[in-house]
Amino acid sequence: MDETQQHSQARWGPKDRILLGVYRNDDLLVTLTKNALDFSWMMAVPSKFEELLSEEDIKSSADLLARFLPQVVEPGRMDKVIGPENVVDIFIQAWVAFMAERGVTLRALPPYFRSRVSYATTSSLPPPAPEFSRHSISLAHDSEDVACLIPLYIQFSSHGPVPAMEDSARADMIEAVNARTVWVCRVDGAIAGYTKVGRTTPRTIAIRNVFVSPQYRRRGIAEALVRAVTRYYLGVRPLGFDGSPEGHPVGGIKTEVCLNVADEGVVRLYQRCGFMLDEDARDPVTGRKGSFASIWRGVERVAV
């Protein structure tokens, strides 16, 4: 909901500030929010309740949200939801059942996208590794970098649920480079791969893209990028790479670097970088679960 998020979501249409929460006394259990008119609804569970909520808690919360939602928006605007898989699935069931009571037949659609959400902290990071320090990693900074990044971004997005066209890729890269959120790895002066960060909060920042051009793969570039960027935003020294800007990160040092992984083939790479993606992984300090399954799915109206 901060200015950075507003700016990055401007492409999804006008602002749409809808914030719904289910409380038990003073404890916020489940949230359902919408930030932009053409972007999906988002569900979340505060981290301290991730493992404490029973299925009955989630069902009752989902039912309350489903019954309250038409008081806030026209029901047809509930179409797609992103969030923890078990919470989203139960909410979709509650919404379909509630609308059926109102004489509207909806069909729950198969998932558009599945992933696993994880994070790294200073306590989960591995030590710097000499084999990654040889890579040249720095912030992208000019129009020439933007031009080189556009085809890489298009290739990256082609594997996701919303492939980018050239115009949207150019706009996204110009915005990201100007915001100093794109890091590149250069080989002989050429951009071999990049990673983009975003979704910044006072405590966290997320790695959004990691992509290496096919001709430069199997050289450790992706792992070097992830290790470097994660250490930089967590403020861990030594950084283990050359090329970082002086001083602290814009927005300050974070306590968590977050990650959303859709490709099972790269899970081990991220685990080597300190992300707790194993189903049994726990934060070494807090004991908090290291990851959860995320889903993006929706509903459509059935003509009768």
Side-chain angles (χ1 to χ4, degrees):
M1 293 300 167
D2 62 17
E3 291 183 6
T4 303
Q5 293 285 54
Q6 292 175 36
H7 185 65
S8 67
Q9 293 195 2
R11 72 184 73 108
W12 297 108
K15 296 176 187 176
D16 202 7
R17 294 297 190 85
I18 302 170
L19 312 174
L20 304 180
V22 176
Y23 288 80
R24 178 188 291 140
N25 299 320
D26 291 332
D27 291 328
L28 178 61
L29 304 183
V30 178
T31 65
L32 179 65
T33 64
K34 190 169 176 63
N35 299 344
L37 186 63
D38 298 325
F39 196 71
S40 289
W41 293 80
M42 304 195 70
M43 298 199 77
V45 176
S47 59
K48 70 177 182 177
F49 291 117
E50 284 172 352
E51 297 179 88
L52 296 179
L53 291 185
S54 67
E55 185 167 330
E56 188 56 41
D57 289 331
I58 298 172
K59 285 181 177 178
S60 59
S61 297
D63 186 62
L64 282 170
L65 286 168
R67 293 181 180 281
F68 185 77
L69 190 62
Q71 299 179 45
V72 183
V73 297
E74 194 280 316
R77 289 179 55 196
M78 169 50 68
D79 53 355
K80 301 180 182 69
V81 190
I82 300 173
E85 185 169 351
N86 62 328
V87 182
V88 169
D89 283 345
I90 290 173
F91 172 74
I92 291 286
Q93 294 169 17
W95 181 244
V96 170
F98 172 67
M99 292 302 290
E101 293 177 10
R102 295 167 59 110
V104 177
T105 303
L106 299 177
R107 180 170 72 94
L109 297 172
Y112 307 112
F113 196 64
R114 275 193 168 97
S115 63
R116 192 152 197 90
V117 178
S118 184
Y119 62 99
T121 68
T122 56
S123 58
S124 71
L125 291 184
E131 63 267 31
F132 299 110
S133 63
R134 68 180 186 272
H135 294 289
S136 174
I137 297 171
S138 60
L139 283 166
H141 63 276
D142 58 23
S143 58
E144 186 175 333
D145 286 347
V146 169
C148 295
L149 286 163
I150 289 170
L152 300 185
Y153 181 54
I154 290 172
Q155 289 181 68
F156 171 83
S157 70
S158 68
H159 301 289
V162 187
M165 300 294 102
E166 185 164 348
D167 286 348
S168 62
R170 178 177 291 103
D172 285 355
M173 278 296 142
I174 290 173
E175 176 186 306
V177 169
N178 288 340
R180 296 168 62 82
T181 58
V182 182
W183 295 80
V184 296
C185 181
R186 301 179 195 270
V187 175
D188 297 327
I191 294 177
Y194 82 97
T195 183
K196 184 160 80 79
V197 297
R199 212 201 69 202
T200 306
T201 76
R203 295 181 53 252
T204 69
I205 194 167
I207 293 177
R208 307 303 294 266
N209 304 170
V210 178
F211 186 80
V212 176
S213 187
Q215 65 265 37
Y216 293 108
R217 290 176 183 170
R218 300 188 181 279
R219 301 190 193 184
I221 290 172
E223 187 163 344
L225 279 163
V226 175
R227 282 173 173 256
V229 168
T230 302
R231 293 180 75 84
Y232 174 75
Y233 286 105
L234 291 175
V236 177
R237 306 286 174 164
L239 291 174
F241 71 103
D242 295 325
S244 66
E246 294 183 3
H248 292 313
V250 175
I253 291 173
K254 307 304 178 185
T255 58
E256 293 179 9
V257 174
C258 305
L259 186 71
N260 201 334
V261 183
D263 181 359
E264 288 294 324
V266 297
V267 165
R268 295 191 62 165
L269 182 156
Y270 293 121
Q271 288 175 320
R272 293 195 298 270
C273 296
F275 289 88
M276 297 171 278
L277 279 158
D278 186 89
E279 286 201 12
D280 299 322
R282 298 276 171 174
D283 185 305
V285 173
T286 66
R288 177 185 160 205
K289 194 170 168 56
S291 64
F292 67 86
S294 175
I295 198 168
W296 183 21
R297 64 178 309 192
V299 297
E300 67 177 7
R301 188 162 182 169
V302 178
V304 292

